[in-house]
């Protein structure tokens, strides 16, 4: 149970996450919305942010000024203060051609985020993609040869760490 009081929702919640400071909760929903909630009271903050399709996930930037929402129609970076959104990925009607998002982390200053995406040519492996804002330019930073996941920025934002399934052996 997320709140002390019950939530009245039209559709199921597909994802929920706390803001980095713990004061807000962000929910993604099958009713095509993202909603920011007060973590202490369970009351909504502002109007729901509407999207063109079911919203699968949503995540706050570290400073809470932006969020990333992934929906059936695309991936969007949303300015929390005014609701303005920038679409950074348009999805193909053939779902098998679309990258699936895995774990996400934001740079400390909100200028970029990194995530593990399933490779469209090899569904068993994930690659680390770095998206720079405001335009959402994407750079794949790992090879498709190895499964890479769990990206995490260093606290100062200078380094991007990730896990990669590699079998490294010393050679004499």
């Amino acid at each position: 149970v997320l709140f002390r009081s019950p939530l009245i929702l039209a559709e199921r919640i597909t994802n929920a996450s706390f803001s980095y400071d713990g004061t807000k909760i962000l929910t993604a929903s099958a009713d095509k919305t993202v909603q920011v909630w007060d973590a202490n009271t369970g009351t909504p903050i502002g109007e729901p942010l509407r999207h063109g399709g079911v919203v699968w996930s949503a995540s706050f930037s570290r400073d809470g000024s932006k969020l990333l929402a992934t929906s059936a129609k695309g991936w969007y970076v949303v300015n929390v203060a005014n609701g303005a959104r920038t679409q950074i990925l348009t999805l193909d009607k053939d779902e098998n051609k679309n990258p699936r998002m895995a774990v996400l982390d934001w740079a400390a200053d909100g200028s970029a985020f990194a995530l593990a995406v399933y490779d469209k040519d090899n569904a068993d492996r994930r690659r680390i993609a770095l998206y720079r804002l405001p335009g959402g330019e994407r750079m794949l930073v790992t090879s498709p040869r190895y499964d890479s996941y769990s990206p995490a920025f260093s606290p100062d934002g200078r380094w991007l760490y990730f896990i990669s399934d590699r079998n490294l052996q010393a050679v004499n």
Side-chain angles (χ1 to χ4, degrees), residues 77-99:
V77 173
V78 180
N79 179 313
V80 173
N82 62 19
R85 68 182 147 205
T86 303
Q87 187 165 5
I88 60 166
L89 180 67
T90 302
L91 298 182
D92 195 289
K93 289 182 182 178
D94 178 356
E95 287 189 19
N96 294 324
K97 294 181 180 177
N98 294 323

Side-chain angles (χ1 to χ4, degrees), residues 39-50:
N40 291 318
T41 66
T43 56
I45 299 172
E47 293 296 315
L49 304 170
R50 303 203 180 279

Side-chain angles (χ1 to χ4, degrees), residues 41-149:
T41 66
T43 56
I45 299 172
E47 293 296 315
L49 304 170
R50 303 203 180 279
H51 295 269
V54 171
V55 183
W56 298 317
S57 65
S59 173
F60 280 110
S61 61
R62 290 179 187 240
D63 65 2
S65 67
K66 298 179 208 60
L67 62 90
L68 173 69
T70 65
S71 78
K73 298 292 184 180
W75 297 2
Y76 301 86
V77 173
V78 180
N79 179 313
V80 173
N82 62 19
R85 68 182 147 205
T86 303
Q87 187 165 5
I88 60 166
L89 180 67
T90 302
L91 298 182
D92 195 289
K93 289 182 182 178
D94 178 356
E95 287 189 19
N96 294 324
K97 294 181 180 177
N98 294 323
R100 293 175 291 155
M101 183 177 92
V103 177
L104 160 77
D105 192 28
W106 284 87
D109 65 359
S111 66
F113 60 89
L115 49 88
V117 294
Y118 284 89
D119 191 75
K120 67 180 179 178
D121 297 323
N122 186 345
D124 294 334
R125 294 195 177 129
R126 292 161 289 185
R127 297 179 72 182
I128 303 299
L130 178 67
Y131 287 83
R132 296 194 182 277
L133 301 176
E137 301 91 42
R138 174 180 150 163
M139 177 176 33
L140 291 168
V141 297
T142 58
S143 160
R145 292 182 59 199
Y146 305 100
D147 189 24
S148 300
Y149 49 95

